[in-house]
């Protein structure tokens, strides 16, 4: 069975002829061949479109080849990111470095931390992926039974994982101290930084996975079926969310009919903001209120679908206290304190700390953040030569705003102008409780935009979230150190 | 020039005095600036904007500029600058992108003068023109620099860096029109204030953001820059191309840099993160700070020299909410704590020693090794410089060579190369290694190997051929082997108890016995005798017999009694032992009852296999041929520790590997890891890469085996276009040529590829080796002289 799994991971290569060959040769030997569930790497994006990208763009192709030769597989996440080859390159390099290259943590710890982080968001896709990797690098099967079976040292990380994933602003230097001064099970600073980077990486990657509706890998549990292809096959998740493939065409049709001019309206607003910015100078109080309002409002934006997702495949055993999640604090009178970006920024402070304790990674993360932040093709839907920097900045700052990070030099009124409610719902869900993202949400925002642009948005969300979490964690560490 | 003299006279008439002092601020400071006559300092931060007067003994708060019930973000300052000509004029850069000027001459409480909100992002820096009253320059996160004329409501010119955020802007002290700007992407640009369309010059100064820059106050061409890459660089801008003339490597990213007044080569730095100290560097001595101020408890955010012509006062503000005045005389001088003598061992045991000449000369009898002493005096001369604070020092370097055979490490290298650690049955490995050790005249080690084989081998295998003992010529090979096995085994078992159990009498007895009972073999078997003797030395090592003489004496004894012949009685004995079924119990009992006796007896037996026979008769019931291997483990463990402590970690590790599971659990992982690390380190120092790799591979410690998985990346260049190969495989994606072509035969190399790290050319191992016999130049004809290779 293992053998077949391996073949499967090889077989899923975005080059139809390769795939054919691999499956054929295994077919001759009379082995039962699992079939992929669903079509393509994403539930949200048609397979055709993803494959097209990799075929057209030589650069994407070569990145895929490199990734494939390095990992021996090409996961669905990379395939979807293939829309943005520049970013993908940087992403893969960073991930590869974090998981495989020189670093203070042993290899199996790294994968286990990845599992812990992904499990926090019930992201079975990432969990499965890393369970396999974890076992491959010689991890102890026993650990997978639950965090209780893992070494004391990793258990202690559970608390940090929990806070970082859901309420990073609560992180204090006491938490750091607990980890660093725990007698024999204590972490070193370098190890802690490595762990923190891994945790934040996987929290945000879980967001991306749900946000783009990434399908399970074929070789993982739940990613394949042995049923013959003639039977109609549904993805379990699709059924749960009420988004069977039958609906798909309807949606598409509806999209094309119902909304038009959405893009134009948005562009008009951007233009207006650009022009009138200098005319109307809001008072300082006004600016502060605007930030507070966005922050509070972001708490209230809640997805319409409140139905609890059932954690599949007892993932919950990888973390404790499953009920702890991103809660709407303002409702319960809790308040997210404001974090001034100018006082602790990634460029000045975060980078220096990371690079000091975990050389090279600071550089890679820096490149990745910049890449995500500055990535643009100057297009919006069908329009060309558009300066999207304003929109990108609004999205980035909105996410940081949800985490209580405020930029003094930003007028938070812009966010309200540029991001409509359905988009905010999507962002909020994806960032705070990604497991609740549904296909409907994905389709209901920015209906005229292309899939590649939505993936772009997802990248922005993912990186902004990662940076926000990192900033809180690093600030706590800095405070501990001083 | 006129201005200069005026300032100097001002200084002359009003000499600054003071002491190291500090005051608490209410909030963290982001920047500080001092007014021209050095009597007041302004502190600005997110929640603070105050002016303090500098008095003799203390800071006195003069003015709080942060007025209003709910201060706006315009008060949240990223930077502040006090005009150096007009003493009522200040400018601040606000985090919300505003540039604000303040006029202290205003009668109202609110001193705010002008407000420019032209920047879209945080303004990182403001800078007044050093001589022009109304000219103000700002640099912002949005990538623009703006020049304001304070008589107008708007900026007069905007400079676009066409790159990322501006971190610092500084007017040149000497060139009226020039200013420098440093950027987040590592660039530094030079602008002419009259030409806003395009920069005059740009160069990349650092990797990552350049946080700060500072023009030299006296020298026209010097610009100091500090960056996130932890470097401070000094650039000479007078030449066509900016030339890096000095570089100081600090330990954290550099947040501010300020030249020290009146000291041409000194500059002060503070860091952005982690490190809280302020350093003053002499750029010509970049390795150790000239002076350090260690008062702050959190990162220092602003530094400024109190007076532009006085090098003795430094002011600093910090995130820890304090404002300090540092007196230069109170600074810590790291140089004083540095060790001025250097001592280093060379690879072949040479010892180099460098110290001040005076120190060496005063100590006349420092010539310890006649003959082995080579003296290479090296003098460092310096031109005497009146402003120089360093004294003229000349150092002497002595090199002591040691030719003494005893210190040579040949045996280590040979042993490492010849030992077999795996790949054969256990007994053969032991025998092989014993042989190696014997050939290298290390009898003790050799015997240890033999003993290990005997202890841990299956008794049934013992009679197998291949257990080649030098006694074979006696014709009783199997017998002898089993014989010695028992001796040594018990000997080892008792060894641990040796020390405490030893009674005087017993000891005397022991020394007598070798003398009396020495049986010896022929001269040809000298080696074996030596081996036994070595073993004895080891065994006694725990007692008080370190003296070599004793053994040589014994040796003499042995020689005298060469005619002794092995008594036949020994053989029946063996059968008795084997047939005695109650032996193990007996042993147990014996251990519990009187370990001392058995210990001593066994101990002596080990001296030579032959003399032991006499003892066997005493301790005969102790023997059992079926002692479990685990019985020896504690002894072996002690033995290994002993070897390791004696410095022969090679032995410890080799035994550890060869014994494998038999012993591993007995020794705690940390110790094992420690031994492995030491041995691997030694091997690598002797460049025994293959052996060290084998050891890493065979080790069972996870921490060791993972050594092989780190740093496995090899960066290579394409041999045809000389650029780095980023592709996997051998096709260069830049020039689309196959990069692995043999320079000699022009075929593609498969398998072992050897190439030059200098010119990237290479080829088949054989071809290159042949080529190098003919010529030292690269066969590709690139003219490169080959030195180093990698495979």
């Amino acid at each position: 069975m293992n053998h077949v799994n391996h073949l499967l991971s090889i077989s899923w290569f975005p080059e139809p002829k390769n795939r054919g060959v691999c499956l054929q040769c295994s077919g001759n030997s009379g082995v039962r061949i699992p079939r992929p569930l669903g079509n393509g790497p994403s539930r949200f994006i048609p397979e055709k479109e993803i494959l097209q990208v990799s075929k057209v763009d030589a650069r994407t192709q070569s990145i895929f080849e490199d990734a494939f030769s390095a990992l021996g597989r090409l996961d669905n996440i990379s395939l979807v990111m293939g829309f943005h080859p520049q970013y993908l390159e940087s992403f893969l390099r960073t991930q590869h470095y974090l998981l495989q290259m020189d670093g203070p943590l042993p290899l199996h710890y790294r994968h286990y931390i990845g599992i812990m982080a992904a499990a926090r968001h019930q992201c079975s896709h990432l969990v499965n992926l890393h369970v396999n990797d974890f076992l491959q690098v010689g991890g102890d099967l026993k650990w997978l039974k639950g965090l209780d079976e893992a070494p004391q040292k990793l258990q202690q990380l559970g608390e940090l994982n929990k806070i970082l994933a859901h309420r990073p602003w609560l992180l204090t230097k006491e938490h750091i101290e607990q980890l660093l001064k725990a007698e024999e099970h204590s972490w070193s600073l370098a190890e802690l930084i490595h762990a923190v980077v891994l945790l934040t990486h996987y929290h945000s990657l879980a967001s991306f996975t749900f946000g783009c509706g990434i399908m399970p890998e074929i070789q993982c549990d739940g990613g394949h079926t042995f049923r013959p292809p003639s039977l109609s096959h549904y993805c379990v998740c699709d059924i749960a969310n009420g988004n069977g493939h039958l609906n798909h065409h309807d949606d598409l049709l509806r999209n094309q009919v119902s909304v038009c001019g959405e893009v134009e309206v948005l562009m008009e607003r951007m233009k207006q903001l650009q022009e009138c910015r200098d005319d109307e100078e809001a008072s300082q109080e006004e600016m502060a209120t605007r930030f507070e309002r966005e922050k509070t409002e972001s708490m209230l934006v809640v997805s319409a679908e409140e139905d609890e997702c059932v954690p599949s495949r007892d993932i919950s055993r990888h973390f404790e206290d499953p009920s702890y999640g991103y809660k709407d604090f303002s409702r319960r009178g809790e308040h997210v304190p404001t974090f001034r970006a100018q006082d602790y920024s990634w460029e000045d402070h975060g980078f220096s700390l990371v690079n000091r304790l975990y050389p090279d990674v600071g550089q890679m993360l820096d490149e990745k953040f910049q890449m995500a932040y500055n990535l643009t093709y100057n297009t919006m839907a069908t329009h060309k030569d558009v300066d999207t920097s304003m929109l990108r900045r609004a999205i980035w700052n909105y996410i940081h705003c949800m985490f209580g990070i405020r930029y003094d030099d930003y007028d938070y009124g812009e966010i309200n102008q540029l991001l409509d409610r359905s988009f905010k719902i999507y962002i909020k869900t994806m960032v705070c409780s990604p497991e609740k993202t549904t296909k409907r949400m994905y389709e209901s925002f920015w209906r005229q935009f292309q899939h590649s642009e939505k993936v772009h948005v997802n990248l922005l969300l993912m990186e902004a979230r990662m940076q926000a979490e990192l900033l809180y964690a690093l600030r706590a560490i800095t405070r501990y150190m001083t | 020039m006129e201005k200069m003299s005026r300032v100097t006279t001002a200084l002359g008439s009003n000499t600054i005095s003071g002491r190291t002092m500090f005051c608490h601020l209410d909030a963290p400071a982001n920047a500080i600036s001092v007014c021209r006559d050095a009597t007041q300092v302004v502190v600005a931060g997110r929640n603070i904007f105050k002016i303090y007067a500098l008095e003799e003994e203390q800071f006195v708060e003069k003015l709080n500029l942060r007025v209003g019930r709910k201060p706006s973000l315009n008060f949240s300052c990223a930077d502040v600058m006090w005009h150096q000509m007009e003493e009522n004029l200040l400018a601040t850069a606000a985090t919300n992108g505003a540039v604000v000027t303040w006029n202290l001459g205003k009668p109202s409480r609110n001193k705010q003068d002008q407000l420019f909100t032209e920047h879209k992002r945080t303004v990182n820096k403001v800078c007044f023109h050093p001589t022009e009253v109304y000219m103000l320059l700002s640099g912002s996160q949005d990538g623009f620099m703006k020049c304001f004329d304070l008589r107008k409501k708007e900026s007069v010119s905007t400079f676009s860096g066409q790159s990322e955020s501006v971190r610092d802007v500084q007017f040149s002290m000497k060139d009226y029109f020039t200013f420098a700007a440093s950027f987040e992407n590592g660039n530094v640009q030079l602008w002419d204030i009259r030409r806003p369309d395009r920069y005059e010059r740009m160069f990349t100064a650092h990797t990552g953001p350049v946080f700060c820059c500072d023009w030299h106050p006296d020298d026209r061409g010097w610009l100091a820059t500090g960056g996130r890459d932890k470097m401070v660089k000094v650039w000479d801008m007078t030449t066509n191309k900016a030339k890096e003339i000095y570089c100081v490597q600090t330990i954290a990213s550099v947040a501010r840099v300020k030249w020290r007044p009146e000291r041409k080569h000194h500059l002060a730095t503070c860091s952005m993160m982690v490190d809280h100290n302020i350093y003053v560097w002499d750029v010509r001595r970049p390795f150790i700070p000239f002076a350090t101020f260690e008062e702050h408890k959190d990162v220092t955010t602003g530094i400024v020299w109190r007076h532009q012509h006085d090098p003795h006062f430094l002011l600093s503000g910090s995130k820890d909410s304090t404002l300090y005045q540092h007196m230069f005389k109170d600074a810590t001088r790291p140089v004083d704590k540095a060790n001025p003598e250097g001592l280093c061992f060379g690879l072949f045991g040479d010892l180099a020693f460098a110290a001040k000449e005076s120190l060496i000369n005063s100590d006349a009898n420092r010539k310890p090794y006649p003959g082995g002493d080579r003296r290479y005096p090296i003098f460092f001369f310096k031109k005497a410089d009146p402003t120089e604070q360093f004294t003229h020092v000349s150092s002497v370097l002595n090199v002591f060579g040691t030719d003494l055979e005893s210190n040579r490490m040949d045996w280590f290298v040979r042993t490492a190369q010849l030992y077999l650690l795996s790949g054969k049955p256990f007994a053969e490995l032991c025998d092989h290694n014993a042989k190696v050790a014997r050939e290298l005249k290390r009898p003790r080690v050799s015997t240890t190997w033999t003993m290990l084989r005997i202890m841990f081998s299956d008794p049934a295998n013992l009679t197998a051929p291949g257990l080649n003992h030098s006694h074979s010529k006696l014709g009783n090979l199997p017998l002898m082997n089993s014989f010695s096995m028992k001796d040594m085994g018990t000997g080892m078992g008792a060894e641990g108890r040796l020390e405490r159990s030893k009674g005087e009498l017993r000891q005397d007895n022991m020394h007598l016995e070798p003398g009396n009972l020495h049986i010896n073999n022929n001269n040809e078997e000298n080696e074996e005798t030596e081996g036994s003797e070595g073993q004895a030395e080891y065994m006694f090592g725990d007692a008080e017999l370190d003296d070599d003489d004793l053994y040589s004496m014994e040796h003499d004894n042995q020689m005298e009694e060469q005619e002794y012949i092995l008594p036949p009685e020994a053989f029946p004995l063996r059968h008795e032992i084997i047939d005695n079924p109650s032996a193990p119990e007996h042993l147990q009992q014996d251990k519990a009852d009187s370990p001392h006796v058995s210990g001593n007896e066994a101990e002596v037996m080990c001296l030579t296999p032959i003399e032991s026979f006499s003892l066997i008769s005493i301790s005969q019931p102790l023997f059992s041929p079926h002692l479990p291997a685990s019985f020896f483990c504690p002894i072996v463990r002690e033995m290994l520790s002993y070897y390791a402590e004696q410095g022969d970690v090679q032995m410890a590790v080799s035994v550890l590997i060869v014994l494998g599971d038999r012993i591993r659990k007995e020794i705690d992982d940390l110790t094992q890891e420690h031994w492995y690390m030491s041995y691997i380190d030694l091997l690598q120092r002797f460049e025994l890469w293959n052996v060290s790799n084998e050891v890493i591979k065979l080790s069972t410690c996870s921490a060791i085996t993972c050594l092989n998985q780190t740093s496995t990346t090899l960066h290579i260049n394409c041999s045809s276009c000389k650029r780095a190969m980023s592709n996997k495989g051998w096709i260069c994606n830049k020039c689309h040529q196959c990069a692995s072509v043999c320079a000699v035969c022009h075929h593609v190399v498969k398998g072992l590829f050897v190439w030059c790290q200098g010119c990237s050319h290479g080829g088949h191992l054989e071809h290159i080796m042949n080529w190098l016999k003919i010529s030292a130049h690269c066969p590709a004809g690139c003219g490169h002289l080959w030195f180093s290779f990698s495979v």
Side-chain angles (χ1 to χ4, degrees), chain A residues 287-426:
Chain A
M287 299 290 253
T289 352
R290 279 180 191 170
F291 173 74
E292 288 304 324
R293 196 173 58 216
E294 271 321 311
K295 196 166 78 180
T296 331
E297 209 186 273
S298 77
M299 299 297 167
L300 299 173
V301 177
V302 175
S303 59
E305 286 138 279
E306 281 286 1
D307 50 329
E308 283 296 319
C309 206
V310 190
S312 55
R313 192 188 181 255
D314 46 12
I315 285 168
S316 49
R317 70 189 174 196
H318 292 305
F319 59 89
E320 42 194 8
D321 193 5
S323 61
Y324 189 102
Y326 182 96
K327 291 281 154 52
D328 302 327
F329 297 101
S330 43
R331 269 191 204 164
R332 305 143 107 236
E334 280 189 69
H335 184 71
V336 181
T338 304
F339 178 119
R340 301 287 192 151
Q342 267 83 0
D343 288 351
Y344 200 99
S345 68
W346 164 255
E347 286 80 14
D348 293 2
H349 306 93
F351 173 90
S352 304
L353 184 63
V354 172
N355 228 27
R356 183 185 182 88
L357 295 168
Y358 189 10
D360 297 348
V361 166
Q363 198 64 47
M364 286 181 182
L365 290 176
D366 199 41
E367 272 165 32
K368 189 157 70 93
F369 288 141
Q370 276 188 27
M371 180 64 75
Y373 192 86
N374 295 328
L375 187 68
T376 182
Y377 306 96
N378 294 319
T379 56
M380 272 176 84
T382 49
H383 300 266
K384 294 216 163 63
D385 296 326
V386 191
D387 179 12
T388 58
S389 61
M390 206 170 200
L391 191 57
R392 282 181 282 128
R393 193 170 168 214
I395 296 171
W396 187 276
N397 287 359
Y398 181 60
I399 293 155
H400 278 192
C401 170
M402 273 191 286
F403 286 96
I405 299 176
R406 180 181 173 185
Y407 291 85
D408 286 344
D409 53 0
Y410 189 68
D411 176 6
Y412 284 83
E414 281 183 20
I415 288 178
N416 238 359
Q417 302 269 317
L418 297 177
L419 314 183
D420 61 10
R421 188 172 163 76
S422 57
F423 188 32
K424 278 186 180 171
I425 291 178
Y426 178 74

Side-chain angles (χ1 to χ4, degrees), chain B residues 444 492 494-500 502 507 535-546 551 603 635 638-639 641-643 645-646:
Chain B
R444 185 168 65 167
M492 290 304 286
E495 191 251 340
R497 285 168 256 140
L498 182 67
E499 206 160 4
R500 50 197 151 85
K502 200 159 288 167
Q507 216 156 23
Q535 180 57 37
E537 178 190 352
Y538 158 54
M539 286 314 208
F540 282 122
D542 281 353
E544 67 276 40
L545 302 177
D546 315 5
Y551 295 99
E603 168 57 35
I635 309 131
E638 273 183 48
M639 177 197 73
S641 309
Y642 170 79
Y643 270 117
E645 266 167 42
Q646 294 294 306

Side-chain angles (χ1 to χ4, degrees), chain B residues 471 480 482-491 513-514 517-519 532 564 566-567 570 573 577 601-620 623:
Chain B
H471 289 281
M480 281 310 294
S482 56
F483 199 25
S484 54
M485 167 196 80
K486 276 162 258 159
D487 303 344
M488 292 177 181
T490 334
E513 275 164 4
L517 298 173
H518 255 309
I519 322 152
S532 311
Y564 198 98
L566 183 70
L573 264 175
I577 296 156
E601 286 163 354
E603 168 57 35
V604 183
M605 285 190 284
C606 309
L607 285 176
T608 64
I610 296 156
E611 76 200 29
S612 63
F613 97 96
S614 64
L615 292 159
I616 286 168
S617 54
I618 305 167
S619 57
Q620 174 206 73
F623 290 97

